[in-house]
Amino acid sequence: MSGLAPSFRELTNETDIAAAVEDGRRLFAGPCDFIFGAQKLGQLPPQTLPEIAFAGRSNVGKSSLVNALTGRRTLARASSEPGRTKQLNFFDLAQRLMLVDMPGYGYARAAKSVKEDWQDMMFDYLRGRPVLRRVVVLCDTRIEIKSHDREVMTLLDRAAVSFQVVLTKCDTVKPAQLAAKRAEMEAEIRQHPAALPFLSVTSSQTGEGIEALRAELAEFALPKAE
């Protein structure tokens, strides 16, 4: 026995599951404030809280997912021009957890130098941030895995940072398409040593998967002050 509490995915008792979901709801319903946007590594804020970072291709629904998790409409804002946002945005969640909105990647019109700069900066952030507990990699349920997605997963492998794949916009496809997408992604993550061996399937529109994802991420938060 390790003495560690089981993770949310290991829970089987309905009472324990409900309690974990409620803990996640309470955490993400708390104050969540934008504190800083860093365009360079030297601008990163102090490492005072555990961090969860969100990464994904432009237009994957990253801002919508962050807003759905926190129950807000405009906490994270999508750029009017895909691929425009080029900074790490930090959000303090109830002084217990830091949410980090990473720049979108893979925008076709982005110059090669911009793509290279993104990769270099993100790699330096990922491998040099001890408080970073997990990266949530978002992939669009409607779209096949792109080369940029695989490149980012490989980047996370190299940085030795655990990542969790979350499928977005699951409400926009039929059950057979969703099953096929899950199978495709499950095969992909088996190729990446830093990938966690499970998927989350979500919809920011219907709320599917949001409660469970909150409960999972809440496990990394600091204990609530008495």
Side-chain angles (χ1 to χ4, degrees):
M1 295 292 290
S2 66
L4 296 176
S7 69
F8 177 71
R9 286 182 176 266
E10 295 172 327
L11 297 177
T12 56
N13 181 279
E14 290 186 5
T15 300
D16 292 339
I17 292 172
V21 167
E22 177 62 12
D23 287 344
R25 185 196 69 78
R26 287 178 178 272
L27 172 64
F28 280 87
C32 190
D33 301 307
F34 171 76
I35 63 165
F36 204 77
Q39 294 183 320
K40 299 179 180 179
L41 290 176
Q43 299 173 338
L44 295 177
Q47 302 185 60
T48 57
L49 296 173
E51 293 177 0
I52 302 293
F54 295 81
R57 295 177 65 250
S58 300
N59 288 339
V60 75
K62 182 157 51 69
S63 296
S64 296
L65 180 68
V66 172
N67 289 333
L69 287 169
T70 58
R72 294 161 173 83
R73 293 185 178 182
T74 58
L75 179 67
R77 298 190 179 186
S79 173
S80 58
E81 180 181 338
R84 184 175 180 181
T85 302
K86 298 299 178 188
Q87 66 182 21
L88 290 159
N89 291 317
F90 291 79
F91 299 88
D92 183 333
L93 181 60
Q95 297 184 351
R96 295 175 58 199
L97 188 66
M98 193 75 74
L99 307 181
V100 185
D101 187 6
M102 300 177 75
Y105 59 80
Y107 185 50
R109 289 173 56 190
K112 182 178 180 181
S113 60
V114 171
K115 294 178 183 178
E116 291 173 349
D117 287 345
W118 185 96
Q119 189 174 65
D120 291 344
M121 178 182 176
M122 291 308 104
F123 183 68
D124 288 342
Y125 164 71
L126 293 168
R127 70 177 180 177
R129 200 72 174 170
V131 294
L132 180 61
R133 297 292 185 262
R134 180 173 295 182
V135 175
V136 178
V137 177
L138 278 60
C139 292
D140 193 326
T141 304
R142 306 168 301 175
I143 301 173
E144 72 278 4
I145 302 172
K146 300 291 187 180
S147 61
H148 298 296
D149 297 319
R150 292 189 172 96
E151 289 169 6
V152 168
M153 293 180 196
T154 299
L155 194 71
L156 290 162
D157 291 337
R158 288 173 51 210
V161 175
S162 296
F163 68 91
Q164 172 181 356
V165 173
V166 172
L167 297 179
T168 62
K169 307 179 184 180
C170 71
D171 59 300
T172 61
V173 299
K174 295 180 180 179
Q177 292 173 288
L178 179 57
K181 180 63 178 183
R182 290 190 66 132
E184 177 193 31
M185 188 57 72
E186 286 167 353
E188 180 63 33
I189 63 177
R190 285 195 291 269
Q191 308 303 313
H192 296 277
L196 294 167
F198 53 77
L199 297 174
S200 293
V201 178
T202 67
S203 167
S204 299
Q205 293 298 314
T206 68
E208 181 173 349
I210 298 299
E211 284 188 346
L213 186 56
R214 284 184 189 133
E216 289 177 48
L217 300 183
E219 295 173 1
F220 298 100
L222 296 180
K224 187 176 182 180
E226 297 295 336

